[in-house]
DNA sequence: TTTATTATTAGTAATCATTATTATTTAAAT
DNA sequence: ATTTAAATAATAATGATTACTAATAATAAA
């Protein structure tokens, strides 16, 4: 029999795994990795698997309910999809929000016209955060081979 | 016997592996991954190993002779360290240069004052490049689970 | 030039994040 | 209640990157 489902294709089911992951991401102000999300969510859902976390995070990303931030080969997730930039500390690797960026900066507007269909953009600032700079006696050496 | 080497610590040796990798990165206008660099450089140095390529790329990055661009979990490298942004195609995953960004945009200047020591920044634009848009019959579907 | 020192390399094994697979469970439509 | 396929848990596999180690080679010292 032909389904009368309005939205053709697959139907999306509401599961507690999905809700708890999204709730967690919206509750924190940090930018956790899939691995950390897995560890945290497992406190509420002890039987959840890593694969489920990765798959749900991918779904949420594809539905624009979360944003993915790739830092040093590791994907971090942001439950805040509002327009903002990020500051990445090169020492502790924490990711901080920068909200006071002009919402639609001139360069963004210009690029949207020039290159064509720009769906979105990301701005990353790199440096050493206040906490880390407080701990540093001097400027850190450059040639460490640490990733 | 005590060495009279001026710069304390390890001395950097010039090797052809190092030179050929850097030359290759400076010769191309693309943004190759370590794996592609390995395949290309092996044409000139058939005995070079993957580990060497990764290590040298890390060295060059730490010496600010190349830039690293993390896209979808894969690190790409840029032999052009001048200030420019990138456009990443969500279909073919190619990385294009955007040079006509204002060198020291206002938002950057503001942030440098607010957050503190900002060493550098990166701006990524996402969308579908001209080539890929030409091939598309319609706008691509959203909910593909492809990474 | 010859020898000594040690950074660098080649080859390979190991690690880590992420994805694929598959049998089972379960939300929701009928 | 029965049916159907989306979603899950558990686990295996993959792929990028790093670690290890013995051999090599660039530079310094003799
Ligand atoms: Mn954020
Ligand atoms: Mn570039
Ligand atoms: Zn820090
Ligand atoms: Zn493209």
């Amino acid at each position: 029999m032909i389904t009368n489902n309005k939205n053709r294709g697959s139907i999306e089911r509401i599961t507690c795994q999905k809700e708890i992951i999204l709730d967690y991401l919206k509750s924190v102000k940090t930018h956790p990795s899939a691995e950390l999300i897995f560890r945290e969510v497992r406190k509420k859902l002890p039987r959840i698997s890593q694969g489920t976390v990765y798959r749900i995070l991918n779904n949420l990303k594809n539905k624009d309910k979360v944003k993915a931030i790739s830092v040093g080969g590791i994907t971090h997730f942001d439950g805040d999809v509002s327009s903002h930039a990020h500051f990445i500390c090169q020492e502790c690797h924490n990711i901080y929000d920068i909200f006071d960026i002009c919402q639609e900066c001139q360069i963004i507007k210009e690029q949207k016209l020039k290159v064509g269909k720009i769906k979105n953009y990301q701005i990353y600032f790199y440096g050493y955060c206040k906490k880390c700079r407080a701990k540093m006696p001097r400027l850190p050496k450059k040639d460490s081979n640490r990733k």
Side-chain angles (χ1 to χ4, degrees), chain A residues 23-144:
Chain A
D23 284 351
Y24 170 68
L25 270 175
K26 286 199 180 297
S27 75
V28 296
K29 288 174 288 292
T30 56
H31 302 78
S33 65
E35 208 275 331
L36 181 61
I37 293 166
F38 171 62
R39 288 209 311 271
E40 287 300 315
V41 166
R42 197 154 57 155
K43 291 175 182 172
K44 289 194 173 181
L45 296 171
R47 298 187 59 78
I48 199 171
S49 68
Q50 282 199 85
T52 300
V53 172
Y54 275 98
R55 181 173 29 73
I56 288 177
L57 287 171
N58 247 7
N59 292 160
L60 294 173
K61 185 185 71 183
N62 291 331
K63 293 226 165 59
D64 289 326
K65 289 179 180 170
V66 305
K67 281 208 169 189
I69 304 170
S70 187
V71 176
I74 292 169
T75 307
H76 295 251
F77 293 89
D78 196 340
D80 183 351
V81 294
S82 72
S83 177
H84 65 279
H86 291 107
F87 176 85
I88 297 158
C89 177
Q90 292 171 319
E91 179 64 23
C92 66
H93 304 108
N94 278 339
I95 302 170
Y96 300 92
D97 286 317
I98 295 181
F99 289 112
D100 50 1
I101 282 273
C102 50
Q103 289 294 316
E104 276 291 309
C105 176
Q106 196 58 34
I107 56 167
I108 312 300
K109 283 181 183 166
E110 286 170 13
Q111 287 307 321
K112 280 191 174 173
L113 292 173
K114 279 179 192 165
V115 184
K117 293 272 191 324
I118 285 180
K119 294 195 59 178
N120 58 331
Y121 57 90
Q122 298 214 10
I123 301 178
Y124 300 137
F125 295 95
Y126 297 89
Y128 298 96
C129 75
K130 288 179 182 173
K131 281 186 184 176
C132 289
R133 261 185 292 138
K135 290 176 193 164
M136 289 180 197
R138 310 230 170 149
L139 276 310
K141 304 287 186 303
K142 245 321 178 28
D143 194 19
S144 83

